Amino acid sequence: MAAQETVDHKYVYDFAEGNKDLKDLLGGKGANLAEMTNLGLPVPPGFTITTEACKAYLATGEEPAGLADQIAAHLADLEREMGRRLGDPADPLLVSVRSGAKFSMPGMMETVLNVGLNDRSVVGLSAQAGGNDRFAWDSYRRLIQMFGKTVCEVPGEQFEHALDEAKRAKGTTNDLDLDADDLRGLVDAYKKIFLTHTGREFPQEPREQLDLAIRAVFESWNAERAVLYRRQERIPADLGTAVNVVSMVFGNLGPDSGTGVAFTRDPGSGAQGIYGDYLANAQGEDVVAGIRNTVPLQELERLDKKSYEQLLDFMARLEGHYKDLCDIEFTIERGKLWMLQTRVGKRTAAAAFVIAGQLVDEGLIDLDEALHRVNGAQLAQLMFPRFQLDHEFQPVAKGIGASPGAASGKVVFTSARAVELAAEGTAVILVRRETNPDDLNGMIAAKGILTSRGGKTSHAAVVARGMGKTCVSGADELDVNIPAKKFAVGEHVVTEGDIVSIDGTTGKVYLGEVPVMPSEVVQYFEGSVDPEHIDNALVRAVHRIMTHADATRRLAVRTNADTGADAARARRFGAEGIGLCRTEHMFLGDRRELVERLILARTDGERADALAALLPLQRADFIEIFREMDGLPVTVRLIDPPLHEFLPPLEQLAVNVAVAQERGEDVAKEEALLAAVRRMHEENPMLGLRGVRLGLVIPGLFAMQVRAITEAAVAVTRDGAVAKPEIMVPLVGAVQELETVRAEAEKIIAEVVGDSGVEVLIGTMIEVPRAALTAGQIAEAAQFFSFGTNDLTQMGWGFSRDDVEGAFFWRYLELGIFGISPFESIDRDGVGRLVRIAAEEGRAARPELKLGVCGEHGGDPDSVHFFHEVGLDYVSCSPFRVPVARLEAGRAAVETDGSDSR
Ligand code: ADP
Ligand code: MG
Ligand code: MG
């Protein structure tokens, strides 16, 4: 190597100097070219310019000191090895200049082939190819085209136009029919296009071509589409790309040459076999550009048996070496096979599970590694039903894919109608402008939810995701008219009873019924598949990996469930208890009247009567849940929302009162309600009279709930089941609040439990920042903590979830203030720190303190890893997320090295 390199920073690596673990420095393509070189596979010689050089260039706008000399030195070595010089008119070396970042960004960045050709060396190239003029001019026109487009921003259509023009003049549609003279003419046309657009002649100096191409690759890192792609895929913006300079091999030398791609297994299904495409007499980019029709890779056996067999051998070797599905780019030059690229291939969610299972069978990886190779997002995908879109279905609108899945059904516009039709066994899609808590029953009854307003965190979206129900939100092309029971979209009008289909993954809305396939994986979780006799490869792999995750994980997984039905479903999905049973829905529906009586009570007696009427209803709810969760812990949260949420909205009441007065009816009750609503109005309900504050202010409210819970537990126990109630006090910020509630509760519990043997725990949510910071004190009065990370996030950041999403989250994401909504994935540095402090100080004060988390973060893969690290005992999430949390808890337990599985 040149002496220069010992002085300057090393920016250039020969393929022989790298290996697959140097992706940060050499990019994925460069690292794997080096790995293949060192494995002894036939890789055309070349070198890699590091991502560090790219970063230095992007920071200053200039190549870093020493880079030009290092390139010259490596180029000289390459020329010596190849016995040819770049641009030599008699016998030229040609190279490709290829981008390649750490994470593959398909089609995002640039590659230029045939660098080193000019008006003189094109003749030498022809001589090299035994006088194949056609090939030489074809290669030259490709260089001008790619160079013009990627390096000098000449619009690509211009070149394509000229090519079409040449074919038309020749009376053909196949570029193989163009002969050397046609292509020479095309080169002239291309050069004119180049001149017109750039104001300069096409550069003839090979080293200048090389340097400009390298710069263009550096700069393509910041091209708009690359920036967008990175943001979407959450690839860091500061990695930079490496540049690979590779000596050219030619697949366009005639029928005994060609180029192709190959996969060692089917990236769609994971099935073993030979998958790929081959194109004879073509250069690399033709395959992807779809210029001519490729043939299946198996055809190569007939065309060139020797190369085919060699390729299969290399594929097997690569799979054995990488221990994973590899995808490969190769070129055959006159019967000689060259390997141009390999990487661990992308795959569908189903293939990821199937392949991981197969590799275990083949002894290539162990079960820990298999677990590491799949993830919760993939599992979640596999749990949704899918549309079979092979038919001609055109979407009529596109909203936000708010909760994935596929659903078809009759359109209904009200919750009541949804419940009615569903009870008759009709599939319905609930269509609303937006939803609110009163739509809950309709949402439960519907197959899917479609709204014309609201984003990914609108009520509809959040609730639907929680229920695992398909939802498209914010389909703003829909003009929804609830009173008229219809919506208009484009030239169509859809009325109640018409059938629509919605895809909650893509956000697309279809008229009519698109056939749906249920998820086999859900059928398996629901227990309709015998694990001993699974004939479906995917289900078998899921079963195996989930079993290992369960055996490995340290976190228990509970569920958030408010009804017996939810609890039963979650239990089938593997929930080991309920981490959050909300009690507020128990005050809705026909029980509103009792709640109104409670709120309007003027005397202690009236209040006590209302509570006494609620008690048996609540007790019945809890009995159902305790029965379903026989033997498992059930955390019940005492009532949390402000009570005025149970009253009708102010405007509606005001209208009711006015109308009734008009008619001369008795309005005493309406007026009293209206007055109550006015009195209870809050500027910031989120920070108002709710949670534990209600319990301290409204005599008997919490007491009634504690009694209902305990009586239910005792009743279930007397029936021979095991109830393990855990009473959870919401919104505590100071230990004194909890002590007060606890003192009252303990009296009731002692009285009700008697000799039944039932044990009731009392604990608190940690969802107010002050509670996290005084966790040591609070733990003195609490037997468990459950982190309410939704509120903790709201109060930690000081923004309300309902208000921020539409207002400014997009800007925060754009500015990178956070990479993902802190409501979706826990903010480790801030909110996560509060969790950590509370966990540590709580345990220091009471070592046996149980720690869990409820709230949507409990089902988010990244957050589950965080809770594992902090050492919580369990996470709790919606029933549908339970398998995802089980899988991720297992992954967290095997991934101690922090390696990423992208
Ligand atoms: P991408 O990252 O978009 O796949 P590549 O750098 O792999 O871009 O190059 C695009 C095409 O050019 C590929 O089909 C590749 O096989 C082909 N190619 C790249 N370098 C060479 C070379 N030195 N000789 C022949 N073909 C090449
Ligand atoms: Mg490639
Ligand atoms: Mg809360």
Side-chain angles (χ1 to χ4, degrees):
M1 287 299 108
Q4 198 69 32
E5 281 183 13
T6 56
V7 184
D8 289 323
H9 196 78
K10 182 168 168 68
Y11 287 120
V12 183
Y13 285 70
D14 216 77
F15 287 164
E17 293 177 291
N19 67 61
K20 72 172 164 42
D21 300 321
L22 293 180
K23 288 200 183 76
D24 283 317
L25 191 63
L26 304 179
K29 200 179 287 169
N32 289 325
L33 282 169
E35 190 78 11
M36 286 199 290
T37 302
N38 293 328
L39 280 175
L41 300 190
V43 174
F47 52 85
T48 303
I49 301 164
T50 63
T51 53
E52 283 176 4
C54 172
K55 284 189 270 192
Y57 173 83
L58 292 176
T60 61
E62 271 169 59
E63 284 79 0
L67 177 61
D69 289 343
Q70 290 183 37
I71 293 174
H74 281 268
L75 187 59
D77 287 348
L78 184 62
E79 289 176 332
R80 210 167 307 123
E81 184 176 355
M82 301 296 290
R84 288 180 174 142
R85 276 189 312 106
L86 193 70
D88 182 343
D91 186 16
L93 170 70
L94 303 189
V95 294
S96 62
V97 178
R98 314 168 65 185
S99 60
K102 175 175 183 187
F103 301 114
S104 110
M105 299 168 51
M108 289 300 131
M109 290 183 304
E110 311 294 7
T111 287
V112 185
L113 304 182
N114 304 336
V115 168
L117 274 179
N118 57 25
D119 293 351
R120 297 196 310 147
S121 62
V122 68
V123 181
L125 183 66
S126 167
Q128 245 178 49
N132 189 337
D133 275 353
R134 185 196 181 277
F135 154 73
W137 287 99
D138 186 46
S139 302
Y140 193 19
R141 71 95 190 159
R142 287 170 189 267
L143 169 64
I144 302 171
Q145 185 166 355
M146 267 185 269
F147 191 94
K149 201 173 131 196
T150 62
V151 182
C152 303
E153 285 161 20
V154 181
E157 319 79 85
Q158 301 268 340
F159 294 118
E160 274 140 38
H161 254 87
L163 178 59
D164 287 343
E165 199 52 47
K167 286 195 267 191
R168 192 165 325 127
K170 192 81 180 182
T172 179
T173 55
N174 187 341
D175 48 335
L176 288 182
D177 291 335
L178 299 178
D179 64 21
D181 283 337
D182 302 326
L183 290 164
R184 190 182 287 121
L186 195 56
V187 163
D188 281 336
Y190 276 11
K191 282 193 197 157
K192 285 204 190 82
I193 294 170
F194 189 93
L195 178 63
T196 318
H197 278 272
T198 63
R200 58 165 294 185
E201 298 285 349
F202 177 75
Q204 293 289 313
E205 177 52 49
R207 178 66 202 254
E208 188 190 1
Q209 290 175 3
L210 180 64
D211 289 338
L212 289 175
I214 292 170
R215 273 192 173 210
V217 172
F218 283 162
E219 283 169 6
S220 69
W221 176 256
N222 280 333
E224 199 178 308
R225 60 181 175 179
V227 172
L228 284 175
Y229 181 84
R230 284 200 294 273
R231 196 175 294 152
Q232 200 178 334
E233 298 290 309
R234 299 198 208 135
I235 296 173
D238 57 358
L239 299 174
T241 178
V243 185
N244 302 288
V245 176
V246 189
S247 33
M248 284 300 300
V249 292
F250 298 101
N252 52 340
L253 271 172
D256 57 351
S257 305
T259 187
V261 295
F263 299 88
T264 56
R265 301 179 191 230
D266 182 353
S269 70
Q272 274 143 314
I274 296 150
Y275 296 86
D277 301 303
Y278 182 72
L279 190 56
N281 201 4
Q283 216 173 33
E285 77 276 9
D286 297 349
V287 178
V288 266
I291 293 176
R292 272 181 280 140
N293 286 338
T294 56
V295 298
L297 188 58
Q298 283 85 340
E299 290 279 300
L300 182 60
E301 182 168 22
R302 198 173 43 77
L303 298 170
D304 181 347
K305 196 165 165 57
K306 187 178 122 268
S307 297
Y308 181 71
E309 275 164 7
Q310 205 177 23
L311 180 65
L312 294 195
D313 174 46
F314 292 163
M315 282 163 69
R317 275 167 69 185
L318 284 174
E319 247 213 9
H321 185 69
Y322 284 88
K323 303 186 189 330
D324 207 344
L325 157 74
C326 292
D327 79 25
I328 291 160
E329 290 177 5
F330 66 92
T331 280
I332 297 172
E333 178 179 309
R334 291 194 164 143
K336 167 143 179 61
L337 174 64
W338 292 96
M339 303 293 276
L340 288 175
Q341 184 175 330
T342 193
R343 67 182 160 212
V344 167
K346 299 207 175 190
R347 66 206 71 186
T348 61
F353 276 88
V354 170
I355 291 173
Q358 287 168 355
L359 293 172
V360 174
D361 289 337
E362 290 163 30
L364 282 172
I365 61 174
D366 61 14
L367 274 166
D368 277 3
E369 178 64 21
L371 187 51
H372 174 69
R373 298 254 180 113
V374 296
N375 63 52
Q378 290 165 337
L379 182 63
Q381 257 186 43
L382 295 172
M383 290 177 65
F384 295 110
R386 281 164 308 168
F387 280 137
Q388 279 174 301
L389 276 173
D390 15 300
H391 313 261
E392 279 304 289
F393 285 103
Q394 289 302 323
V396 289
K398 188 168 182 307
I400 293 162
S403 177
S408 288
K410 287 191 174 170
V411 169
V412 294
F413 293 90
T414 63
S415 189
R417 189 75 183 131
V419 172
E420 239 170 75
L421 287 184
E424 297 166 8
T426 308
V428 297
I429 304 291
L430 178 63
V431 181
R432 306 281 293 167
R433 287 216 174 116
E434 54 211 340
T435 59
N436 64 52
D438 265 336
D439 293 321
L440 206 61
N441 286 331
M443 295 173 79
I444 292 169
K447 282 268 177 275
I449 297 138
L450 170 61
T451 69
S452 59
R453 295 204 199 130
K456 258 203 143 94
T457 59
S458 60
H459 178 267
V462 173
V463 174
R465 274 203 297 281
M467 300 193 291
K469 188 146 293 191
T470 304
C471 174
V472 172
S473 66
D476 52 17
E477 291 139 275
L478 264 56
D479 187 3
V480 180
N481 187 337
I482 301 285
K485 297 194 180 153
K486 62 179 187 189
F487 71 79
V489 57
E491 73 263 30
H492 310 279
V493 175
V494 175
T495 54
E496 187 175 278
D498 291 351
I499 291 183
V500 298
S501 300
I502 58 173
D503 186 329
T505 310
T506 61
K508 288 181 183 160
V509 180
Y510 304 84
L511 299 185
E513 179 165 357
V514 184
V516 175
M517 302 193 298
S519 153
E520 308 102 321
V521 172
V522 168
Q523 290 172 336
Y524 155 71
F525 283 131
E526 302 224 291
S528 61
V529 180
D530 173 6
E532 301 296 319
H533 304 99
I534 304 175
D535 56 3
N536 173 309
L538 170 61
V539 174
R540 199 163 44 236
V542 168
H543 171 67
R544 193 150 179 213
I545 293 172
M546 289 304 291
T547 307
H548 187 62
D550 287 340
T552 313
R553 67 192 158 90
R554 200 177 63 212
L555 277 173
V557 177
R558 296 195 191 179
T559 191
N560 300 350
D562 307 344
T563 64
D566 270 1
R569 179 177 206 202
R571 193 166 189 169
R572 288 198 299 278
F573 280 6
E576 297 158 301
I578 292 182
L580 175 62
C581 171
R582 300 177 188 85
T583 50
E584 37 271 23
H585 83 280
M586 301 175 182
F587 291 84
L588 290 174
D590 47 12
R591 300 178 190 179
R592 269 179 191 279
E593 216 230 315
L594 291 175
V595 180
E596 284 173 12
R597 268 171 59 194
L598 172 70
I599 293 170
L600 297 179
R602 273 159 310 187
T603 65
D604 288 351
E606 281 176 23
R607 188 182 312 107
D609 285 349
L611 287 170
L614 278 164
L615 176 71
L617 302 174
Q618 291 242 299
R619 187 175 51 220
D621 294 332
F622 293 129
I623 286 179
E624 191 186 326
I625 292 170
F626 289 145
R627 273 211 187 104
E628 292 294 352
M629 296 313 266
D630 181 9
L632 299 177
V634 175
T635 307
V636 181
R637 180 175 73 182
L638 301 180
I639 189 158
D640 182 47
L643 284 189
H644 55 77
E645 280 194 10
F646 298 102
L647 297 180
L650 186 67
E651 305 77 32
Q652 190 191 319
L653 271 174
V655 172
N656 289 358
V657 169
V659 171
Q661 273 170 345
E662 190 87 345
R663 295 196 190 127
E665 292 168 8
D666 174 19
V667 291
K669 190 183 155 221
E670 271 72 19
E671 276 176 341
L673 269 181
L674 183 61
V677 170
R678 289 220 164 97
R679 184 162 22 90
M680 292 166 79
H681 172 79
E682 291 177 320
E683 290 300 332
N684 288 309
M686 191 183 86
L687 304 177
L689 178 57
R690 53 175 286 221
V692 67
R693 301 156 199 169
L694 284 172
L696 299 179
V697 167
I698 301 181
L701 178 59
F702 276 13
M704 179 275 289
Q705 291 201 294
V706 169
R707 186 175 293 278
I709 294 165
T710 315
E711 287 179 358
V714 170
V716 167
T717 306
R718 295 245 146 89
D719 285 352
V722 178
K724 295 186 163 180
E726 303 179 341
I727 293 177
M728 177 158 79
V729 184
L731 224 71
V732 164
V735 67
Q736 293 85 350
E737 293 171 312
L738 184 61
E739 280 168 346
T740 309
V741 172
R742 187 177 165 168
E744 188 188 16
E746 276 177 342
K747 267 192 233 129
I748 298 165
I749 293 169
E751 175 198 318
V752 176
V753 160
D755 60 357
S756 66
V758 169
E759 204 190 331
V760 184
L761 300 189
I762 299 179
T764 179
M765 294 197 69
I766 301 289
E767 54 184 338
V768 175
R770 191 182 187 283
L773 298 173
T774 59
Q777 297 168 14
I778 292 178
E780 303 284 349
Q783 288 169 291
F784 63 88
F785 283 176
S786 175
F787 291 95
T789 51
N790 295 350
D791 264 316
L792 200 57
T793 300
Q794 300 203 102
M795 293 189 222
W797 280 89
F799 46 51
S800 93
R801 173 166 199 166
D802 302 326
D803 295 320
V804 292
E805 174 88 343
F808 62 80
F809 258 34
W810 58 273
R811 182 67 178 144
Y812 272 45
L813 290 163
E814 192 175 80
L815 290 171
I817 294 172
F818 29 70
I820 177 169
S821 159
F823 290 112
E824 214 168 299
S825 197
I826 190 140
D827 151 38
R828 290 179 176 233
D829 297 345
V831 179
R833 178 128 195 272
L834 288 170
V835 173
R836 212 182 266 279
I837 291 170
E840 277 165 15
E841 299 189 359
R843 280 231 171 100
R846 183 193 281 259
E848 76 282 10
L849 185 73
K850 264 211 263 187
L851 297 174
V853 61
C854 54
E856 280 205 75
H857 293 107
D860 166 66
D862 259 1
S863 309
V864 170
H865 286 240
F866 175 76
F867 299 132
H868 169 88
E869 281 164 34
V870 174
L872 302 192
D873 296 303
Y874 68 87
V875 295
S876 185
C877 53
S878 58
F880 211 66
R881 300 297 288 186
V882 165
V884 172
R886 284 164 55 202
L887 182 74
E888 288 294 349
R891 295 185 70 221
V894 298
E895 282 169 23
T896 42
D897 57 353
S899 57
D900 60 333
S901 54
R902 201 188 283 271

